[in-house]
Amino acid sequence: MNTGNSYAKLILNFQRLVVRATEHEAELPYACEVKLELAAQLQELKDIKERQQNHLSAWKQASKELRQSMTACRSLAGRLRYAVKAAWGRSDPRLVEFDVKPFRPRGAHAPKVNGCERPM
């Protein structure tokens, strides 16, 4: 259900009621008070809906800025890790502090017998 569309239809319907009650005010004197209350409540409804839309657009803008900032942080973090790796070398154990896996050479290979590796 699209609430934005149904709210718009309801608001339009309420506005029509107020207009029609105003047109027939002489015939419906007892409905005048209710019409005034509806008009006041309708204005409050419009204000709240507008405030809701403003918050929605502000939320979308904040989300966009958050994504941009996150992308920039990821890029800068990568550059920092690269700089640390360049300064300390690729096998320094301190790289772990920066979430970088240090290069660790593999252990010695088993000697080959007749061109085949010996099982361990």
Side-chain angles (χ1 to χ4, degrees):
M1 184 170 109
N2 188 352
T3 57
N5 196 16
S6 64
Y7 274 116
K9 287 179 182 178
L10 287 172
I11 290 172
L12 187 60
N13 188 12
F14 296 149
Q15 287 174 333
R16 287 181 189 153
L17 283 174
V18 170
V19 168
R20 288 185 181 138
T22 304
E23 291 171 354
H24 298 285
E25 203 167 26
E27 301 166 21
L28 305 168
Y30 49 86
C32 184
E33 185 177 322
V34 176
K35 176 199 73 154
L36 292 174
E37 288 179 31
L38 177 60
Q41 191 65 41
L42 179 60
Q43 185 58 46
E44 184 178 342
L45 177 66
K46 287 178 183 179
D47 293 343
I48 292 170
K49 187 64 179 168
E50 183 179 340
R51 208 169 55 227
Q52 182 188 39
Q53 289 298 325
N54 289 340
H55 285 294
L56 180 63
S57 64
W59 179 80
K60 286 181 180 180
Q61 180 64 29
S63 296
K64 180 181 175 184
E65 291 173 9
L66 182 66
R67 282 190 303 272
Q68 290 172 342
S69 181
M70 186 64 76
T71 301
C73 284
R74 284 184 180 134
S75 175
L76 291 170
R79 288 173 54 193
L80 176 62
R81 288 184 183 113
Y82 183 77
V84 169
K85 194 173 181 179
W88 288 349
R90 61 185 192 150
S91 60
D92 193 307
R94 295 179 293 175
L95 292 174
V96 175
E97 296 174 25
F98 292 90
D99 296 327
V100 175
K101 291 183 180 179
F103 176 75
R104 298 195 179 157
R106 294 185 180 195
H109 292 286
K112 294 184 179 182
V113 177
N114 297 331
C116 296
E117 290 185 20
R118 203 176 351 155
M120 298 187 125

